C-alpha cells in the first residue's frame, strides 16, 4: 500500500511518456533510495528516523516539494512531470528524490528491519548476515516489480494518442497534489503532537 506514493506514479508516468529506457532509470533511482534508507536503518539509524523532530521537519518539507511538483504538472503550460527528455543521471536522480522525500518510506524500513530481526540475533555476525540477506532479497524483489511496471507502462504509452498524453500529465499532477495534501495533513498532526509533548514538558 505504501508503494502508491509519488515515486510510484512518477515511475508509471515516465514509462508511459518516456519509454522503457527512462522508466528503468527512474526505477534504478527508486531502488537506490530504498537501499540507502534500508541500510541506514540496518546500521542503527532507525531511532533517528522515528524521532518526532525529524518527522515533523521532513514531512513538512516533503509536503511542500510534492505539492510543487503536482501543481507544476497539473497547471503548467507544458503539462510535464517533470520534463521527460533528460539525461540518464537526471532520471535516476528524479526516482531517488521522489522516493526518498516520502516519509513513509523511512517508517516502512524501520518496521521491516524490526520484523526481520525477529528470530535472529542482532549481536552476532551470523544473525546480522541473515537479516542482511533477507533485506537484499526484499530490495531485489521491489526492483523487479518496478521494472515490471515500467514495461507495462511503456506498452500502454505506445497505445495512447498525443491528446491523451496531456490528460495523463494533468491526471498525475492532481494525484501528486492529493499526496502532497495528505503529507501536509500528517505534518499538522505531527506538529500538534510534538507541540503538545513539548508544552507538557514545560
Amino acid at each position: 500500500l505504501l508503494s502508491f506514493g509519488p515515486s510510484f506514479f512518477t515511475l508509471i508516468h515516465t514509462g508511459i511518456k518516456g519509454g522503457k529506457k527512462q522508466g528503468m532509470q527512474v526505477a534504478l533511482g527508486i531502488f537506490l533510495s530504498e537501499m540507502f534508507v534500508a541500510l541506514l536503518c540496518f546500521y542503527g539509524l532507525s531511532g533517528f528516523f522515528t524521532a518526532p523532530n525529524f518527522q515533523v521537519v521532513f514531512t513538512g518539507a516533503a509536503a511542500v516539494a510534492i505539492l510543487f511538483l503536482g501543481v507544476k504538472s497539473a497547471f503548467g503550460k507544458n503539462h510535464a512531470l517533470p520534463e521527460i527528455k533528460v539525461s540518464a543521471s537526471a532520471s535516476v536522480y528524479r526516482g531517488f528524490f521522489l522516493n526518498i522525500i516520502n516519509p513513509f518510506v523511512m517508517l516502512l524500513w524501520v518496521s521491516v528491519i524490526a520484523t526481520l530481526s525477529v528470530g535472529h540475533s542482532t549481536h552476532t555476525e551470523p544473525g546480522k548476515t541473515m537479516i542482511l540477506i533477507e533485506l537484499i532479497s526484499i530490495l531485489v524483489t521491489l526492483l523487479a516489480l518496478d521494472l515490471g511496471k515500467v514495461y507495462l507502462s511503456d506498452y500502454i504509452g505506445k497505445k495512447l494518442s498525443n491528446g491523451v498524453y496531456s490528460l495523463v500529465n494533468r491526471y498525475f499532477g492532481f494525484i501528486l497534489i492529493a499526496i502532497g495534501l495528505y503529507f501536509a495533513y500528517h505534518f499538522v498532526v505531527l506538529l500538534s503532537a510534538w507541540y503538545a509533548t513539548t508544552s507538557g514538558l514545560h
Side-chain angles (χ1 to χ4, degrees), residues 18-74:
K20 286 189 295 237
K21 183 177 180 180
Q22 289 194 332
M24 291 173 68
Q25 291 163 355
V26 172
L28 176 61
I30 295 173
F31 170 77
L32 292 175
S33 69
E34 295 278 3
M35 182 173 65
F36 177 70
V37 175
L39 290 177
L40 286 180
C41 293
F42 178 77
Y43 286 109
L45 288 183
S46 57
F48 176 74
F49 292 144
T50 55
N53 291 354
F54 175 82
Q55 289 188 1
V56 168
V57 174
F58 196 86
T59 303
V64 172
I66 295 171
L67 281 171
F68 171 78
L69 291 174
V71 170
K72 180 181 177 182
S73 178

Side-chain angles (χ1 to χ4, degrees), residues 6 30 152 186:
I30 295 173
L152 179 61
H186 276 278

Side-chain angles (χ1 to χ4, degrees), residues 121-137:
S121 174
T122 58
H123 302 291
T124 62
E125 287 303 320
K128 290 182 179 179
T129 301
M130 286 303 302
I131 295 173
L132 187 59
I133 290 173
E134 293 175 4
L135 190 63
I136 292 173
S137 300

Side-chain angles (χ1 to χ4, degrees), residues 144-164:
L145 291 173
D146 282 345
L147 291 177
K149 296 171 192 172
V150 169
Y151 276 86
L152 179 61
S153 302
D154 176 60
Y155 175 78
I156 295 174
K158 291 177 181 177
K159 305 296 182 181
L160 299 180
S161 64
N162 290 331
V164 176

